[in-house]
Amino acid sequence: MIQVNENYLKIQASYLFTEIAHRVKAFQESNPGAKIIRLGIGDVTEPLAPAVIKAMSAAVREQSKSATFRGYGPEQGYAFLREKISECDFAARGVKVSPAEIFVSDGAKCDTGNFQELFGPRVRIAVPDPVYPVYVDTNVMAGRTGVQKNGRYGGLVYLDSTAENGFVPDPPSKPVDLAYLCFPNNPTGAVATKKQLEKWVDWARREKALILFDAAYEAFIRTPGIPHSIYEIPGARSCAVEFRSFSKTAGFTGTRCGYTVVPEGLKAWTSKGEPVELRQLWMRRQTTKFNGCSYVTQRGAEAVYSKEGAAQTKKTIDFYLENARLVREALSSMGYTVTGGTDSPYLWVDVKGDSWKFFDLLLREAQVVTTPGAGFGRAGEGYIRISAFNSRANVKEAIARLSKVLAR
Ligand code: MLT
């Protein structure tokens, strides 16, 4: 008799965004004429930058000739891309990350979900609440938690991110080995200051703990002085892994490319207390389970760092940030307290009530899709997340509809 991994039975039957997609589909089917505006999942709507398209087209042509055709690439990613990442994302900000420490992948979701495989079954884990569900669900699947009760899994340490702490929690006071952080934050849109991240790095070094730092939204940071990388904090190389993504930076949600930084010298320990290099373990894991991101995609990602590519992608991010500003101002003028939307594509709106009910209301009355805060954790209840990824026309139309519905 084939037995299932019963840890899967502990998690909700469907992933948050799958559940939302089901509800939206059901609504559309019973209201075929409804013109639904999607400000729910953070999926980009603007096309890839012309420089990216040009580079990918050239790479496709290379693949059409035997002289330039490429088969399997290096599992860690092509050197041409890793060198550009090292130079433009890190050296340009005064941070040392060598190409050998960069692992190119098909996106940050997979990497943030897979990285936990490197750790023992009993590591003690802290997650902020609300939180991107991938960090929690993948640890539940791996058997590191108990069952869910009142919206929380036994065994996990939850760090409330609330209006009181500006949605940036302090390091845990309980013993923890592994902590997930995401800044600019998904879902709250909050950013962490250098001082706040220093506190985290000090904690991790003191506790011999590890921070998994998700920086997928760093390209949206506009406030001067806000760190774009955890490695801007002295000492972080010895206690943090960083995840980056081209999805939101350059519109690659469907194209798929991201990367993970595992610094040389970053260690975890065996049960006997012997140090093990995490970079070697991640290399072993990736070479066994992953065959690299496609050559064509990596050439596209490389073009993001060209002069034209950088200017074009920045322009698109500025466009989404302007969407965010419009939504933020509209909701604020209606009396809602809104966080995020200045250094992030997400707005976190205090709706002072049941977030799934509010989600349903906006879907039904305004045909606008949002994300209920409760889907990100117990402390997300009372909020909805609005994403700024859409056309200007749709954002303006959504604001008009929301104003009408919420004025009632
Ligand atoms: C979100 O809406 O939270 C993101 O699109 C999720 C993701 O990047 O996987």
Side-chain angles (χ1 to χ4, degrees), residues 120-327:
R122 278 180 288 281
V123 293
R124 298 159 299 185
I125 299 166
V127 288
D129 182 359
V131 69
Y132 179 42
V134 171
Y135 315 151
V136 173
D137 289 3
T138 51
N139 278 293
V140 177
M141 290 169 178
R144 291 198 188 88
T145 72
V147 293
Q148 199 187 39
K149 233 188 191 166
N150 302 324
R152 291 196 162 173
Y153 290 97
L156 286 187
V157 175
Y158 288 89
L159 307 171
D160 286 351
S161 302
T162 59
E164 286 68 45
N165 59 23
F167 303 99
V168 182
D170 274 338
S173 43
K174 292 182 186 165
V176 157
D177 308 301
L178 179 67
Y180 288 82
L181 289 181
C182 172
F183 291 109
N185 187 256
N186 179 12
T188 65
V191 287
T193 62
K194 193 157 188 237
K195 219 165 159 205
Q196 287 168 319
L197 290 181
E198 277 168 0
K199 231 174 167 180
W200 273 94
V201 168
D202 288 349
W203 163 82
R205 296 183 71 187
R206 201 171 53 241
E207 299 294 318
K208 283 186 161 175
L210 184 75
I211 298 170
L212 295 183
F213 190 79
D214 186 348
Y217 299 91
E218 68 73 37
F220 289 78
I221 296 174
R222 291 289 179 272
T223 302
I226 295 293
H228 289 237
S229 165
I230 187 85
Y231 303 121
E232 289 178 43
I233 311 300
R237 287 178 55 88
S238 66
C239 65
V241 166
E242 181 163 304
F243 304 96
R244 293 277 188 108
S245 167
F246 291 92
S247 287
K248 320 292 156 99
T249 305
F252 274 48
T253 53
T255 306
R256 306 308 305 152
C257 194
Y259 66 88
T260 290
V261 178
V262 191
E264 302 205 38
L266 178 64
K267 294 181 183 62
W269 286 266
T270 66
S271 53
K272 295 195 183 100
E274 297 143 342
V276 179
E277 279 264 338
L278 280 178
R279 191 182 154 275
Q280 301 301 343
L281 285 196
W282 186 241
M283 177 77 90
R284 189 67 181 83
R285 191 265 174 212
Q286 291 297 81
T287 49
T288 303
K289 295 196 178 184
F290 183 59
N291 251 343
C293 170
S294 83
Y295 172 66
V296 174
T297 300
Q298 290 190 61
R299 280 294 185 198
E302 180 193 26
V304 170
Y305 299 103
S306 66
K307 200 166 162 242
E308 315 78 69
Q312 291 158 0
T313 49
K314 180 179 177 296
K315 198 168 158 212
T316 303
I317 293 173
D318 285 344
F319 169 82
Y320 292 131
L321 283 169
E322 175 62 10
N323 282 349
R325 189 189 67 78
L326 292 172
V327 179

Side-chain angles (χ1 to χ4, degrees), residues 15 17 40-43 109 132 134 186 217 248 346 376 385:
Y15 181 59
F17 293 104
I41 191 166
D43 193 5
K109 180 178 185 177
Y132 179 42
V134 171
N186 179 12
Y217 299 91
K248 320 292 156 99
Y346 297 131
F376 296 102
R385 192 193 75 177

